[in-house]
Coordinates of all heavy atoms in Angstrom, one line a residue:
M113 N -16.2 43.1 99.1 CA -14.8 43.1 99.3 C -14.1 43.6 98.0 O -14.4 43.3 96.9 CB -14.3 41.7 99.6 CG -12.8 41.6 99.7 SD -12.2 40.0 100.4 CE -12.1 39.1 98.9
I114 N -13.1 44.5 98.2 CA -12.3 45.0 97.1 C -11.1 44.1 97.0 O -10.3 44.0 97.9 CB -11.9 46.5 97.4 CG1 -13.1 47.4 97.5 CG2 -11.0 47.0 96.2 CD1 -12.7 48.8 98.0
A115 N -10.9 43.5 95.8 CA -9.8 42.6 95.6 C -8.7 43.3 94.8 O -7.5 43.2 95.2 CB -10.2 41.4 94.8
T116 N -9.0 44.1 93.8 CA -8.0 44.8 93.0 C -8.7 46.2 92.7 O -9.9 46.3 92.6 CB -7.6 44.1 91.7 OG1 -8.7 44.0 90.9 CG2 -7.0 42.8 92.0
L117 N -7.8 47.1 92.4 CA -8.2 48.4 91.9 C -7.2 48.8 90.7 O -6.0 48.6 90.9 CB -8.1 49.5 92.9 CG -9.1 49.5 94.0 CD1 -8.8 50.5 95.1 CD2 -10.5 49.8 93.4
T118 N -7.8 49.2 89.6 CA -7.0 49.7 88.5 C -7.3 51.1 88.2 O -8.5 51.4 88.0 CB -7.2 48.8 87.2 OG1 -6.9 47.4 87.6 CG2 -6.3 49.2 86.1
G119 N -6.3 52.0 88.2 CA -6.6 53.4 87.9 C -5.3 54.1 87.7 O -4.2 53.5 87.6
V120 N -5.4 55.4 87.7 CA -4.2 56.3 87.5 C -3.8 56.8 88.9 O -4.6 57.3 89.7 CB -4.6 57.5 86.6 CG1 -3.4 58.4 86.5 CG2 -5.0 56.9 85.2
V121 N -2.5 56.8 89.1 CA -1.9 57.3 90.4 C -2.0 58.8 90.2 O -1.3 59.4 89.4 CB -0.5 56.9 90.6 CG1 0.1 57.5 91.8 CG2 -0.3 55.4 90.6
S122 N -2.9 59.5 91.0 CA -3.1 60.9 90.9 C -2.3 61.7 91.9 O -2.0 62.9 91.7 CB -4.6 61.2 91.0 OG -5.1 60.9 92.3
E123 N -2.0 61.1 93.1 CA -1.2 61.8 94.1 C -0.3 60.8 94.8 O -0.6 59.6 94.9 CB -2.1 62.4 95.1 CG -3.1 63.5 94.6 CD -4.0 63.9 95.7 OE1 -3.7 63.9 96.9 OE2 -5.2 64.3 95.3
K124 N 0.7 61.3 95.4 CA 1.6 60.5 96.3 C 1.8 61.4 97.5 O 2.1 62.6 97.4 CB 2.9 60.2 95.6 CG 2.8 59.2 94.4 CD 4.1 59.1 93.7 CE 4.9 58.0 94.3 NZ 6.1 57.7 93.5
H125 N 1.7 60.8 98.7 CA 2.0 61.4 99.9 C 2.7 60.5 100.9 O 2.8 59.3 100.6 CB 0.7 62.0 100.5 CG -0.4 61.0 100.6 ND1 -0.5 60.1 101.6 CD2 -1.4 60.7 99.8 CE1 -1.6 59.3 101.4 NE2 -2.1 59.7 100.3
L126 N 3.2 60.9 102.0 CA 3.9 60.1 102.9 C 3.2 58.8 103.2 O 2.2 58.8 103.8 CB 4.2 60.9 104.2 CG 5.1 60.2 105.2 CD1 6.5 60.1 104.6 CD2 5.2 61.1 106.5
G127 N 3.8 57.7 102.7 CA 3.3 56.4 103.0 C 2.1 55.9 102.1 O 1.6 54.8 102.4
G128 N 1.7 56.7 101.2 CA 0.6 56.3 100.4 C 0.4 57.0 99.1 O 1.1 57.9 98.8
I129 N -0.6 56.5 98.4 CA -1.0 57.1 97.1 C -2.5 57.3 97.0 O -3.2 56.8 97.9 CB -0.5 56.2 96.0 CG1 -1.3 54.9 96.0 CG2 1.0 56.0 96.0 CD1 -1.2 54.1 94.7
V130 N -2.9 58.1 96.1 CA -4.3 58.2 95.7 C -4.4 57.6 94.3 O -3.7 58.0 93.4 CB -4.8 59.6 95.7 CG1 -6.3 59.7 95.3 CG2 -4.7 60.2 97.2
L131 N -5.3 56.6 94.2 CA -5.5 55.9 92.9 C -6.9 56.4 92.4 O -7.9 56.1 93.0 CB -5.4 54.4 93.0 CG -5.4 53.6 91.8 CD1 -4.0 53.8 91.1 CD2 -5.6 52.1 92.1
D132 N -6.9 57.1 91.2 CA -8.1 57.6 90.6 C -8.7 56.5 89.7 O -8.1 56.1 88.7 CB -7.8 58.8 89.8 CG -9.1 59.5 89.3 OD1 -9.9 58.7 88.8 OD2 -9.2 60.7 89.4
V133 N -9.8 56.0 90.2 CA -10.5 54.9 89.4 C -11.8 55.5 88.9 O -12.8 55.7 89.7 CB -10.8 53.7 90.3 CG1 -11.5 52.6 89.5 CG2 -9.5 53.1 90.9
H134 N -11.8 55.9 87.6 CA -13.0 56.5 87.0 C -13.6 57.7 87.9 O -14.8 57.7 88.1 CB -14.1 55.5 86.7 CG -13.6 54.4 85.8 ND1 -13.3 54.6 84.5 CD2 -13.3 53.1 86.1 CE1 -12.9 53.5 84.0 NE2 -12.8 52.5 84.9
G135 N -12.7 58.6 88.3 CA -13.2 59.7 89.1 C -13.3 59.6 90.6 O -13.6 60.5 91.3
V136 N -13.1 58.4 91.1 CA -13.1 58.1 92.5 C -11.7 57.9 93.0 O -11.0 57.0 92.5 CB -14.0 56.9 92.9 CG1 -14.0 56.7 94.4 CG2 -15.4 57.1 92.4
G137 N -11.3 58.7 93.9 CA -9.9 58.6 94.5 C -9.8 57.7 95.7 O -10.4 58.0 96.7
Y138 N -9.1 56.6 95.5 CA -8.9 55.7 96.7 C -7.6 55.9 97.3 O -6.6 55.9 96.6 CB -9.0 54.2 96.2 CG -10.4 53.8 95.7 CD1 -10.8 53.9 94.4 CD2 -11.3 53.2 96.6 CE1 -12.0 53.6 94.0 CE2 -12.5 52.9 96.2 CZ -12.9 53.0 94.9 OH -14.2 52.6 94.5
G139 N -7.6 56.2 98.6 CA -6.3 56.4 99.3 C -5.8 55.0 99.7 O -6.5 54.2 100.4
L140 N -4.6 54.7 99.3 CA -4.0 53.3 99.7 C -2.7 53.5 100.3 O -1.8 54.3 99.9 CB -3.9 52.5 98.4 CG -5.2 52.1 97.7 CD1 -5.2 52.7 96.3 CD2 -5.3 50.6 97.7
Q141 N -2.4 52.8 101.4 CA -1.1 52.7 102.0 C -0.3 51.7 101.2 O -0.9 50.6 100.9 CB -1.2 52.4 103.5 CG -1.9 53.5 104.2 CD -2.0 53.2 105.7 OE1 -1.0 52.8 106.3 NE2 -3.2 53.3 106.2
V142 N 0.9 51.9 100.9 CA 1.7 51.0 100.1 C 3.1 50.9 100.7 O 3.5 51.7 101.5 CB 1.9 51.5 98.6 CG1 0.5 51.6 97.9 CG2 2.5 52.9 98.6
T143 N 3.8 49.8 100.3 CA 5.2 49.7 100.8 C 6.1 50.7 100.2 O 5.7 51.3 99.1 CB 5.7 48.3 100.4 OG1 5.8 48.2 99.0 CG2 4.9 47.1 100.9
A144 N 7.2 50.9 100.7 CA 8.2 51.9 100.2 C 8.6 51.5 98.8 O 8.8 52.3 97.9 CB 9.4 52.0 101.1
E145 N 8.8 50.2 98.6 CA 9.2 49.7 97.2 C 8.1 50.0 96.2 O 8.4 50.6 95.1 CB 9.4 48.2 97.3 CG 9.9 47.7 95.9 CD 10.0 46.1 95.9 OE1 9.6 45.5 96.9 OE2 10.6 45.6 94.9
D146 N 6.9 49.8 96.5 CA 5.8 50.1 95.6 C 5.6 51.6 95.4 O 5.3 52.0 94.3 CB 4.5 49.4 96.1 CG 4.4 47.9 95.9 OD1 5.3 47.4 95.2 OD2 3.5 47.3 96.4
F147 N 5.8 52.3 96.5 CA 5.7 53.8 96.4 C 6.7 54.3 95.3 O 6.3 55.2 94.5 CB 6.0 54.4 97.7 CG 5.8 55.9 97.8 CD1 4.6 56.4 98.1 CD2 6.9 56.8 97.6 CE1 4.3 57.8 98.2 CE2 6.7 58.1 97.7 CZ 5.4 58.6 98.0
G148 N 7.9 53.8 95.3 CA 8.9 54.2 94.3 C 8.6 53.7 92.9 O 9.0 54.3 91.9
R149 N 7.8 52.6 92.8 CA 7.5 52.1 91.5 C 6.3 52.6 90.8 O 5.9 52.3 89.7 CB 7.3 50.5 91.6 CG 8.6 49.8 92.0 CD 8.3 48.4 92.3 NE 7.7 47.6 91.2 CZ 7.3 46.4 91.3 NH1 7.5 45.7 92.4 NH2 6.8 45.8 90.3
L150 N 5.5 53.5 91.5 CA 4.2 54.0 91.1 C 4.3 55.5 90.7 O 4.1 56.3 91.6 CB 3.2 53.7 92.1 CG 2.8 52.3 92.4 CD1 2.0 52.2 93.7 CD2 2.1 51.7 91.2
P151 N 4.7 55.8 89.5 CA 4.8 57.2 89.1 C 3.4 57.9 89.0 O 2.5 57.3 88.5 CB 5.5 57.2 87.8 CG 5.3 55.9 87.2 CD 5.1 54.9 88.4
I152 N 3.4 59.2 89.4 CA 2.1 59.9 89.2 C 1.8 60.0 87.7 O 2.6 60.2 86.9 CB 2.3 61.4 89.8 CG1 2.4 61.3 91.3 CG2 1.1 62.3 89.4 CD1 2.7 62.6 92.0
G153 N 0.5 59.9 87.4 CA 0.0 60.0 86.1 C 0.0 58.6 85.3 O -0.5 58.6 84.2
E154 N 0.5 57.6 85.9 CA 0.6 56.3 85.2 C -0.5 55.4 85.7 O -1.0 55.4 86.8 CB 1.9 55.6 85.5 CG 3.1 56.3 84.9 CD 3.1 56.3 83.4 OE1 2.8 55.2 82.8 OE2 3.5 57.3 82.8
L155 N -1.0 54.5 84.8 CA -2.0 53.5 85.1 C -1.3 52.4 86.0 O -0.2 52.0 85.7 CB -2.5 52.9 83.8 CG -3.7 51.9 83.9 CD1 -5.0 52.7 84.4 CD2 -4.0 51.3 82.6
A156 N -2.1 52.0 87.0 CA -1.5 50.9 87.9 C -2.7 50.0 88.3 O -3.8 50.4 88.5 CB -0.9 51.6 89.1
K157 N -2.3 48.7 88.5 CA -3.2 47.8 89.1 C -2.7 47.4 90.5 O -1.5 47.0 90.6 CB -3.4 46.5 88.2 CG -4.3 45.5 88.9 CD -4.4 44.2 88.0 CE -5.3 43.2 88.6 NZ -5.4 42.0 87.8
L158 N -3.5 47.5 91.5 CA -3.0 47.1 92.8 C -3.9 46.1 93.4 O -5.2 46.1 93.3 CB -3.0 48.4 93.8 CG -2.1 49.5 93.4 CD1 -2.2 50.7 94.3 CD2 -0.6 49.0 93.5
Y159 N -3.3 45.1 94.1 CA -4.1 44.1 94.9 C -4.3 44.7 96.3 O -3.4 45.3 96.9 CB -3.2 42.8 95.0 CG -3.0 42.2 93.7 CD1 -1.9 42.5 92.9 CD2 -3.9 41.3 93.1 CE1 -1.6 42.0 91.7 CE2 -3.7 40.8 91.8 CZ -2.6 41.1 91.1 OH -2.4 40.6 89.9
V160 N -5.6 44.6 96.7 CA -6.0 45.4 97.9 C -6.3 44.5 99.1 O -6.9 43.5 98.9 CB -7.2 46.3 97.5 CG1 -7.8 47.0 98.7 CG2 -6.9 47.2 96.3
Y161 N -5.9 45.0 100.2 CA -6.3 44.4 101.5 C -7.1 45.5 102.2 O -6.6 46.6 102.4 CB -5.0 44.0 102.3 CG -5.4 43.5 103.7 CD1 -5.8 42.2 103.9 CD2 -5.4 44.4 104.8 CE1 -6.2 41.7 105.1 CE2 -5.8 43.9 106.0 CZ -6.2 42.6 106.2 OH -6.6 42.1 107.4
E162 N -8.3 45.2 102.7 CA -9.1 46.1 103.4 C -9.0 45.8 104.9 O -9.1 44.7 105.3 CB -10.6 45.9 103.0 CG -10.9 46.2 101.6 CD -12.3 45.9 101.3 OE1 -12.6 44.6 101.2 OE2 -13.2 46.8 101.2
H163 N -8.7 46.9 105.7 CA -8.7 46.7 107.1 C -9.8 47.6 107.7 O -9.7 48.8 107.7 CB -7.3 47.1 107.7 CG -7.1 46.9 109.1 ND1 -7.1 45.7 109.7 CD2 -7.0 47.8 110.2 CE1 -7.0 45.8 111.0 NE2 -6.9 47.1 111.3
I164 N -10.8 47.0 108.2 CA -12.0 47.7 108.7 C -12.0 47.6 110.2 O -12.0 46.5 110.8 CB -13.3 47.1 108.1 CG1 -13.2 47.2 106.5 CG2 -14.5 47.9 108.6 CD1 -14.2 46.4 105.8
R165 N -12.0 48.8 110.8 CA -12.2 48.9 112.3 C -13.4 49.8 112.6 O -13.9 50.4 111.7 CB -10.9 49.5 112.9 CG -9.7 48.6 112.7 CD -8.5 49.3 113.2 NE -8.3 50.6 112.5 CZ -7.3 51.4 112.7 NH1 -6.5 51.2 113.6 NH2 -7.2 52.5 111.9
E166 N -13.7 49.8 113.9 CA -14.8 50.7 114.3 C -14.6 52.1 113.9 O -15.5 52.8 113.5 CB -14.9 50.6 115.8 CG -16.2 51.2 116.3 CD -16.4 51.0 117.8 OE1 -16.2 49.8 118.2 OE2 -16.6 52.0 118.5
Q167 N -13.4 52.6 114.0 CA -13.1 54.0 113.8 C -12.4 54.3 112.4 O -12.2 55.5 112.1 CB -12.1 54.6 114.9 CG -12.7 54.5 116.3 CD -13.8 55.4 116.5 OE1 -13.9 56.5 115.9 NE2 -14.8 55.0 117.3
A168 N -12.1 53.3 111.7 CA -11.4 53.5 110.4 C -11.6 52.5 109.4 O -12.0 51.3 109.7 CB -9.9 53.6 110.7
Y169 N -11.4 52.8 108.1 CA -11.5 51.9 107.0 C -10.3 52.2 106.2 O -10.2 53.2 105.5 CB -12.8 52.2 106.2 CG -13.0 51.3 105.0 CD1 -13.3 50.0 105.1 CD2 -12.8 51.9 103.7 CE1 -13.5 49.2 104.0 CE2 -13.0 51.1 102.6 CZ -13.3 49.8 102.7 OH -13.5 49.0 101.6
D170 N -9.3 51.3 106.3 CA -8.0 51.5 105.6 C -7.8 50.5 104.5 O -8.2 49.4 104.6 CB -6.8 51.3 106.6 CG -6.8 52.3 107.8 OD1 -7.1 53.5 107.5 OD2 -6.6 51.9 108.9
L171 N -7.2 51.0 103.4 CA -6.9 50.2 102.2 C -5.4 50.1 102.1 O -4.7 51.1 102.2 CB -7.5 50.8 101.0 CG -9.0 50.9 100.9 CD1 -9.5 51.6 99.6 CD2 -9.7 49.5 101.0
F172 N -4.9 48.9 101.9 CA -3.5 48.7 101.7 C -3.3 48.1 100.3 O -4.0 47.1 99.9 CB -2.9 47.7 102.7 CG -2.9 48.3 104.1 CD1 -4.1 48.2 104.9 CD2 -1.8 48.9 104.6 CE1 -4.1 48.7 106.1 CE2 -1.9 49.4 105.9 CZ -3.0 49.3 106.7
G173 N -2.5 48.7 99.4 CA -2.3 48.3 98.1 C -1.0 47.7 97.8 O 0.0 48.2 98.3
F174 N -0.9 46.7 96.9 CA 0.3 46.0 96.6 C 0.4 45.8 95.1 O -0.6 45.3 94.5 CB 0.4 44.6 97.3 CG 0.2 44.8 98.8 CD1 -1.1 44.7 99.4 CD2 1.3 45.0 99.6 CE1 -1.2 44.8 100.7 CE2 1.1 45.2 101.0 CZ -0.1 45.1 101.5
V175 N 1.5 46.1 94.5 CA 1.7 45.8 93.1 C 1.8 44.4 92.8 O 1.3 43.9 91.7 CB 3.1 46.5 92.6 CG1 3.4 46.1 91.2 CG2 2.9 48.1 92.7
S176 N 2.3 43.6 93.7 CA 2.5 42.1 93.5 C 1.5 41.4 94.4 O 1.4 41.7 95.6 CB 3.9 41.7 93.8 OG 4.0 40.4 94.1
V177 N 0.8 40.4 93.9 CA 0.0 39.5 94.7 C 0.8 38.7 95.7 O 0.3 38.5 96.8 CB -0.9 38.6 93.8 CG1 -0.1 37.5 93.1 CG2 -2.0 38.0 94.6
D178 N 2.0 38.4 95.4 CA 2.9 37.7 96.3 C 3.2 38.5 97.5 O 3.2 38.0 98.7 CB 4.2 37.3 95.6 CG 5.1 36.5 96.4 OD1 4.6 35.5 97.0 OD2 6.3 36.8 96.5
T179 N 3.4 39.8 97.4 CA 3.6 40.7 98.5 C 2.4 40.8 99.3 O 2.4 40.8 100.6 CB 4.1 42.1 98.0 OG1 5.2 42.0 97.2 CG2 4.4 43.0 99.2
K180 N 1.2 40.9 98.7 CA 0.0 40.9 99.5 C -0.2 39.7 100.3 O -0.6 39.7 101.5 CB -1.2 41.1 98.5 CG -2.6 41.2 99.3 CD -3.8 41.1 98.4 CE -5.0 41.1 99.3 NZ -6.1 40.5 98.6
R181 N 0.1 38.5 99.7 CA 0.0 37.3 100.5 C 0.9 37.2 101.7 O 0.5 36.8 102.8 CB 0.3 36.1 99.5 CG -0.9 35.8 98.6 CD -0.6 34.5 97.8 NE -1.6 34.4 96.8 CZ -1.4 34.1 95.5 NH1 -0.2 33.9 95.1 NH2 -2.4 34.0 94.6
L182 N 2.1 37.7 101.5 CA 3.1 37.8 102.6 C 2.5 38.7 103.7 O 2.6 38.4 104.9 CB 4.5 38.2 102.2 CG 5.5 38.3 103.2 CD1 5.7 37.0 104.1 CD2 6.9 38.7 102.6
F183 N 2.0 39.9 103.3 CA 1.4 40.8 104.2 C 0.3 40.1 105.0 O 0.3 40.3 106.3 CB 0.8 42.0 103.4 CG 0.0 43.0 104.2 CD1 0.7 44.0 104.8 CD2 -1.3 43.0 104.3 CE1 0.0 45.0 105.5 CE2 -2.0 43.9 105.0 CZ -1.4 44.9 105.6
E184 N -0.6 39.4 104.4 CA -1.6 38.6 105.1 C -1.1 37.6 106.0 O -1.6 37.4 107.1 CB -2.6 38.0 104.1 CG -3.4 39.1 103.3 CD -4.2 38.5 102.2 OE1 -3.8 37.5 101.6 OE2 -5.3 39.1 101.9
Q185 N 0.0 36.9 105.6 CA 0.6 36.0 106.5 C 1.2 36.6 107.8 O 1.1 36.1 108.9 CB 1.7 35.2 105.8 CG 1.2 34.2 104.8 CD 2.3 33.6 104.0 OE1 3.4 34.2 103.7 NE2 2.1 32.3 103.5
L186 N 1.8 37.8 107.6 CA 2.4 38.6 108.7 C 1.3 39.0 109.7 O 1.5 39.0 110.9 CB 3.1 39.8 108.2 CG 4.5 39.5 107.5 CD1 5.0 40.8 106.8 CD2 5.5 39.0 108.5
L187 N 0.1 39.3 109.2 CA -1.0 39.6 110.0 C -1.4 38.5 111.0 O -2.0 38.7 112.0 CB -2.2 40.1 109.2 CG -2.0 41.4 108.4 CD1 -3.3 41.7 107.6 CD2 -1.7 42.5 109.4
G188 N -1.1 37.2 110.6 CA -1.4 36.1 111.4 C -0.5 35.9 112.6 O -0.8 35.1 113.5
V189 N 0.6 36.7 112.7 CA 1.5 36.7 113.8 C 0.9 37.5 114.9 O 0.4 38.6 114.7 CB 2.9 37.2 113.4 CG1 3.8 37.3 114.6 CG2 3.5 36.4 112.2
K190 N 1.0 37.0 116.1 CA 0.5 37.7 117.3 C 1.1 39.1 117.4 O 2.3 39.2 117.3 CB 0.8 36.8 118.6 CG 0.1 37.4 119.8 CD 0.4 36.5 121.0 CE -0.3 37.1 122.2 NZ -0.1 36.3 123.4
N191 N 0.2 40.0 117.7 CA 0.6 41.4 117.9 C 1.1 42.1 116.7 O 1.7 43.2 116.8 CB 1.6 41.6 119.1 CG 1.0 41.2 120.4 OD1 -0.2 41.4 120.6 ND2 1.8 40.6 121.2
V192 N 0.9 41.6 115.5 CA 1.3 42.2 114.3 C 0.0 42.7 113.6 O -0.8 41.9 113.1 CB 2.1 41.3 113.3 CG1 2.3 42.0 112.0 CG2 3.4 40.9 114.0
G193 N -0.1 44.0 113.5 CA -1.2 44.6 112.8 C -0.8 45.1 111.4 O 0.4 44.9 111.0
P194 N -1.7 45.7 110.6 CA -1.3 46.1 109.3 C -0.2 47.1 109.2 O 0.7 47.0 108.3 CB -2.6 46.8 108.7 CG -3.7 46.3 109.6 CD -3.1 46.0 110.9
K195 N -0.1 48.0 110.1 CA 1.0 49.0 110.0 C 2.4 48.4 110.3 O 3.4 48.7 109.6 CB 0.8 50.2 110.9 CG -0.5 51.0 110.4 CD -0.7 52.2 111.2 CE -2.0 52.8 110.8 NZ -2.1 54.0 110.2
V196 N 2.4 47.4 111.2 CA 3.7 46.7 111.5 C 4.0 45.8 110.4 O 5.2 45.8 109.9 CB 3.5 45.9 112.8 CG1 4.7 45.0 113.0 CG2 3.4 46.9 114.0
A197 N 3.0 45.1 109.8 CA 3.3 44.2 108.7 C 3.8 45.0 107.5 O 4.8 44.6 106.8 CB 2.0 43.5 108.3
L198 N 3.3 46.2 107.2 CA 3.8 47.1 106.2 C 5.2 47.5 106.4 O 6.0 47.6 105.5 CB 2.8 48.3 106.0 CG 2.9 49.0 104.7 CD1 2.5 48.1 103.5 CD2 2.0 50.2 104.7
A199 N 5.5 47.8 107.7 CA 6.9 48.2 108.1 C 7.8 47.1 107.8 O 9.0 47.3 107.4 CB 6.9 48.7 109.5
V200 N 7.4 45.9 108.1 CA 8.3 44.7 107.9 C 8.6 44.6 106.4 O 9.7 44.3 106.0 CB 7.7 43.4 108.5 CG1 8.4 42.2 108.0 CG2 7.6 43.5 110.0
L201 N 7.6 44.8 105.6 CA 7.7 44.7 104.1 C 8.6 45.8 103.6 O 9.1 45.6 102.5 CB 6.4 44.6 103.4 CG 5.5 43.4 103.7 CD1 4.1 43.6 103.1 CD2 6.2 42.2 103.1
D202 N 8.8 46.9 104.3 CA 9.6 48.0 103.8 C 11.1 47.6 103.9 O 11.9 48.4 103.3 CB 9.3 49.2 104.7 CG 8.1 49.9 104.2 OD1 7.6 49.7 103.1 OD2 7.6 50.8 105.0
I203 N 11.5 46.5 104.5 CA 12.9 46.2 104.5 C 13.4 45.6 103.2 O 14.6 45.6 103.0 CB 13.2 45.2 105.7 CG1 12.6 43.8 105.5 CG2 12.9 45.8 107.0 CD1 13.1 42.8 106.5
G204 N 12.5 45.2 102.3 CA 13.0 44.7 101.0 C 11.8 44.0 100.3 O 10.7 44.1 100.7
T205 N 12.2 43.3 99.3 CA 11.2 42.6 98.5 C 10.6 41.4 99.3 O 11.2 41.0 100.4 CB 11.8 41.9 97.2 OG1 12.8 40.9 97.7 CG2 12.5 43.0 96.4
A206 N 9.5 40.9 98.9 CA 8.8 39.8 99.6 C 9.8 38.6 99.7 O 9.9 38.0 100.8 CB 7.6 39.4 98.8
A207 N 10.6 38.4 98.7 CA 11.6 37.2 98.7 C 12.6 37.5 99.8 O 13.0 36.6 100.6 CB 12.2 37.1 97.4
N208 N 13.1 38.8 99.9 CA 14.1 39.1 100.9 C 13.5 39.0 102.3 O 14.2 38.5 103.2 CB 14.6 40.6 100.8 CG 15.4 40.7 99.5 OD1 15.9 39.8 98.9 ND2 15.6 42.0 99.1
V209 N 12.3 39.4 102.5 CA 11.6 39.3 103.8 C 11.5 37.8 104.2 O 11.8 37.4 105.3 CB 10.3 40.0 103.9 CG1 9.5 39.8 105.1 CG2 10.5 41.5 103.7
R210 N 11.0 37.0 103.3 CA 10.8 35.6 103.5 C 12.2 34.9 103.9 O 12.2 34.1 104.8 CB 10.2 34.9 102.3 CG 8.8 35.0 102.2 CD 8.2 34.0 101.2 NE 6.7 34.1 101.2 CZ 6.0 34.9 100.3 NH1 6.7 35.6 99.4 NH2 4.7 34.9 100.4
G211 N 13.2 35.3 103.2 CA 14.6 34.8 103.5 C 15.0 35.2 104.8 O 15.6 34.4 105.6
A212 N 14.8 36.4 105.2 CA 15.2 36.9 106.5 C 14.5 36.2 107.6 O 15.0 35.8 108.7 CB 15.0 38.4 106.7
I213 N 13.2 35.9 107.4 CA 12.4 35.2 108.4 C 12.8 33.8 108.5 O 13.0 33.2 109.6 CB 10.9 35.3 108.1 CG1 10.3 36.7 108.2 CG2 10.1 34.3 108.9 CD1 8.9 36.9 107.7
A214 N 13.1 33.1 107.4 CA 13.6 31.7 107.4 C 14.9 31.6 108.1 O 15.2 30.6 108.8 CB 13.6 31.2 106.0
A215 N 15.8 32.6 107.9 CA 17.1 32.6 108.5 C 17.1 33.0 110.0 O 18.1 33.0 110.6 CB 18.0 33.4 107.7
G216 N 15.9 33.5 110.5 CA 15.9 34.0 111.8 C 16.6 35.3 112.0 O 17.0 35.7 113.1
D217 N 16.7 36.0 110.9 CA 17.4 37.3 110.9 C 16.5 38.4 111.4 O 15.6 38.9 110.7 CB 18.0 37.6 109.5 CG 18.8 38.9 109.5 OD1 19.0 39.5 110.5 OD2 19.3 39.2 108.4
V218 N 16.7 38.9 112.6 CA 15.8 39.9 113.2 C 16.2 41.3 112.6 O 15.4 42.2 112.6 CB 15.9 40.0 114.7 CG1 14.5 39.8 115.3 CG2 16.9 39.1 115.3

């Protein structure tokens, strides 16, 4: 299991980044907030969630462990997969999302 990755952000593309860890480029899907916070050429540490399916092996990266935990909690909701959970996190910070959920704000 991959828990964290530390490396240099070598590329950014729609919805994700490539993190170069000692010559190996890991493609990670990230939230919009993290995407903006991760400049190309800078060292970054990301907390990783692995989503393994029969046809795919996807990595989701988070700058904050708190955001990763919320992502994992969202996956526990019926019919919420990783892409939907990531979309929910795109509405704001983990604290904002938790507040919206607590307030019943759809």
Side-chain angles (χ1 to χ4, degrees):
M113 176 169 87
I114 300 172
T116 65
L117 288 171
T118 302
V120 175
V121 178
S122 62
E123 298 175 31
K124 292 174 88 171
H125 50 82
L126 188 62
I129 65 162
V130 175
L131 192 68
D132 186 314
V133 181
H134 301 292
V136 178
Y138 291 90
L140 295 118
Q141 296 179 48
V142 297
T143 65
E145 180 184 12
D146 287 348
F147 187 85
R149 293 172 58 184
L150 295 166
I152 292 177
E154 294 292 322
L155 187 67
K157 176 182 179 179
L158 295 175
Y159 297 91
V160 177
Y161 176 83
E162 296 174 285
H163 184 69
I164 302 168
R165 298 176 296 180
E166 188 174 313
Q167 300 292 329
Y169 178 73
D170 297 318
L171 298 176
F172 295 83
F174 305 91
V175 171
S176 160
V177 70
D178 186 46
T179 305
K180 180 188 175 203
R181 285 187 187 132
L182 179 55
F183 176 82
E184 291 171 330
Q185 288 175 329
L186 290 168
L187 293 177
V189 176
K190 186 177 179 180
N191 295 326
V192 174
K195 293 187 191 238
V196 171
L198 201 62
V200 169
L201 291 173
D202 281 344
I203 66 171
T205 65
N208 290 346
V209 172
R210 278 194 176 93
I213 292 170
D217 183 0
V218 239

